[in-house]
Amino acid sequence: MKIDKFVLAIIGVILLAWFFPRWGSPGSGVPLDFIASIGISLIFFFYGLKLSPRDIKTGLKNWKLHIVVQATTFLVFPLAVLAFYPFIKTENGQTIWLAFLFLAALPSTVSSSVVMVSIAKGNIPAAIFNASVSGLIGIVITPLWMGLFLTQTAIDFNLGEIYFKLLTEILLPVIIGIFLQRYWGDFARRNSRYLTLFDKSVILLIIFKSFSHSFENQVFSAVDATDLFLIVTAVILLFYTLYFLTFYVSRLLGFNLEDQITAQFCGTKKSLVHGTVFAKILFQQSATTGIMLLPIMLFHSIQILIISFVATKLGKRK
């Protein structure tokens, strides 16, 4: 099993932020916030260019599968985390729990969902449809879930301002990309590899800035080795709980193997791209952004490792 290069790059930028936290601070002289905002808009503009209306129209037919995937992503995931809310007593525990709620409220990842479903010989058109639609639904649903609890904390959370930023930085570029697809869509799909590299570069920049801010304010001093072990354990348990739940629901609804693979792979994925983008907007004035990103980064690494193994095994079937 090879370690994902992007995971290694994430570890690298976190170490860089740890050793040189001032490089990512507002006083560094480099307008990282502005650069990241432009990068985010370009990511979703290219996403709109690659979003095929034909694939979405084809995918609409398999409505039972779509309901399972989207309900798992935006309802079952947050409810699973919400069940532990009454047991949170400390301020540090509250922050870590909010980070897990943020993870649970995020949409499914697009690229890796489709790639893994393809390797496992699942229902690829349905995977494309669900992954694409999930990102658009998340623009509305993710801030709503976080707003239920962030308004009760010290974190500055203005839902109107957040939706304005989401609309201008994310939804508007997607819409522009969709309208220009007839001219540049083929170009975007041909150069998908380079666009993915650009996406990851912007994400690494946001992660570096977030962790620089957190390290500079010593936010992680409250997270010791025991807490980190518990966070990793909770991430693994959350993944497997939802993975097997979607398996049983798929069997109950009589899905064939291809649809079952798509339900399990798309329903249990969470997007690091959306996580870093939403964190920049939702927690823009908060030094705890690094902690908020910690569970999603761990989840991203673990889901790639586990699903890669399962997809390769399924792909070998006759």
Side-chain angles (χ1 to χ4, degrees), residues 96 116 172 197 200 262 269 290:
I96 293 172
M116 294 303 172
L172 184 60
L197 187 64
K200 290 178 178 178
T262 302
K269 290 264 184 186

Side-chain angles (χ1 to χ4, degrees), residues 207-283:
I207 289 171
F208 173 73
K209 188 181 181 308
S210 301
F211 275 79
S212 295
H213 194 186
S214 297
F215 286 136
E216 196 170 35
N217 290 275
Q218 299 183 338
V219 171
F220 286 102
S221 59
V223 181
D224 55 23
T226 305
D227 286 337
L228 187 59
F229 173 76
L230 290 172
I231 290 170
V232 173
T233 304
V235 164
I236 295 171
L237 286 173
L238 183 63
F239 172 82
Y240 272 113
T241 299
L242 273 297
Y243 184 79
F244 286 115
L245 181 63
T246 50
F247 170 77
Y248 287 119
V249 170
S250 299
R251 284 291 182 90
L252 192 66
L253 293 173
F255 288 176
N256 59 34
L257 183 57
E258 288 73 20
D259 285 355
Q260 178 191 310
I261 289 169
T262 302
Q264 284 188 277
F265 285 17
C266 293
T268 55
K269 290 264 184 186
K270 289 293 179 179
S271 174
L272 181 59
V273 173
H274 286 83
T276 47
V277 169
F278 286 5
K280 181 182 178 298
I281 295 171
L282 294 175
F283 319 116

Side-chain angles (χ1 to χ4, degrees), residues 143-208:
L144 283 178
W145 270 114
M146 298 309 297
L148 293 174
F149 297 92
L150 282 177
T151 50
Q152 303 167 21
T153 67
I155 297 174
D156 183 22
F157 189 83
N158 184 327
L159 198 59
E161 182 184 339
I162 284 164
Y163 272 124
F164 177 76
K165 276 184 165 291
L166 288 170
L167 289 171
T168 54
E169 287 188 21
I170 296 177
L171 191 58
L172 184 60
V174 170
I175 292 169
I176 293 171
I178 290 171
F179 274 112
L180 294 177
Q181 189 187 89
R182 59 185 295 186
Y183 305 107
W184 296 342
D186 290 337
F187 170 82
R189 283 185 282 273
R190 279 198 312 270
N191 294 278
S192 183
R193 180 183 171 187
Y194 299 106
L195 295 180
T196 300
L197 187 64
F198 173 76
D199 293 355
K200 290 178 178 178
S201 301
V202 174
I203 298 314
L204 290 173
L205 175 65
I206 297 172
I207 289 171
F208 173 73

Side-chain angles (χ1 to χ4, degrees), residues 35-52:
I35 294 170
S37 295
I38 296 297
I40 287 166
S41 296
L42 286 173
I43 284 174
F44 284 91
F45 169 69
F46 293 133
Y47 174 63
L49 284 180
K50 293 185 288 183
L51 193 63
S52 171

